[in-house]
Amino acid sequence: MPIVGITQGVQTILAYFNGQQEEMKKKKTLTITMMYTVLYGVAGTVLIFFFGKNILTWFANSEIIYSIGNTILCIVFSTFPLMGIFYTIMTLYEVTGHEGKAVFLILTRQVFLMLPLIYLLPRIFSGFSLAIFWAVPIADLIALLTAVFSRGRKKSSHRHT
């Protein structure tokens, strides 16, 4: 949630720079936002990887839950550092008149990818009990690649008149 908060916080700044056609300031804001959200993501992931079991003690009192829960946390948080890039691109679309692309990106991650993966992964890897949890990082990576690719296509197909 803090990553979403950071990207929503810069939304007004990006909209202002976009409206004023301050491309360098907009680009600098995007770069700084991505840097901070990635750093936050890395910090969160490091905490989960090294202290996940300790965090789980707040919620349960079982060695089995600690072990399985810690593995699940590590799987789910493995792409957390990259989500700042995804949400920053999505926010950029929202403030530059490409709301449809922003909606498409979030639907891609949460509906078009996550739901089918949650259904398919346990069936494909039936002997692997934690297969369902891999839906999160797989959906995150594909959604991020979609966001980066769509951003690159937007830039290359943009014509000045």
Side-chain angles (χ1 to χ4, degrees):
M1 295 312 288
I3 287 175
V4 173
I6 291 168
T7 57
Q8 293 299 308
V10 298
Q11 195 174 43
T12 306
I13 298 165
L14 288 171
Y16 177 79
F17 289 148
N18 186 63
Q20 295 297 312
Q21 297 177 347
E22 296 270 1
E23 291 301 313
M24 292 304 292
K25 289 181 180 179
K26 184 171 76 173
K27 185 176 180 179
K28 183 177 180 181
T29 302
L30 286 170
T31 302
I32 290 169
T33 302
M34 285 185 196
M35 180 184 70
Y36 280 118
T37 56
V38 168
L39 286 173
Y40 177 84
V42 167
T45 302
V46 166
L47 286 173
I48 291 299
F49 273 69
F50 289 108
F51 303 107
K53 195 171 184 179
N54 295 341
I55 293 168
L56 289 171
T57 62
W58 299 343
F59 305 102
N61 191 14
S62 165
E63 193 59 40
I64 295 171
I65 291 177
Y66 298 156
S67 177
I68 294 170
N70 193 49
T71 302
I72 292 168
L73 283 175
C74 289
I75 291 168
V76 170
F77 273 80
S78 63
T79 51
F80 190 56
L82 303 176
M83 293 311 345
I85 298 167
F86 175 80
Y87 280 105
T88 302
I89 293 171
M90 197 173 68
T91 299
L92 176 66
Y93 284 152
E94 290 172 352
V95 301
T96 57
H98 297 96
E99 296 85 1
K101 285 185 179 183
V103 170
F104 174 75
L105 286 177
I106 201 67
L107 286 175
T108 296
R109 179 177 180 262
Q110 295 180 347
V111 177
F112 305 142
L113 292 170
M114 192 84 68
L115 290 177
L117 286 168
I118 288 170
Y119 178 78
L120 292 173
L121 289 176
R123 284 157 180 74
I124 294 170
F125 302 101
S126 60
F128 183 53
S129 63
L130 299 177
I132 193 170
F133 297 103
W134 282 98
V136 174
I138 292 169
D140 286 350
L141 284 174
I142 295 170
L144 175 63
L145 291 173
T146 303
V148 170
F149 178 72
S150 69
R151 173 115 169 92
R153 288 195 55 180
K154 179 187 144 304
K155 287 176 104 175
S156 63
S157 65
H158 183 69
R159 294 184 187 158
H160 295 283
T161 55

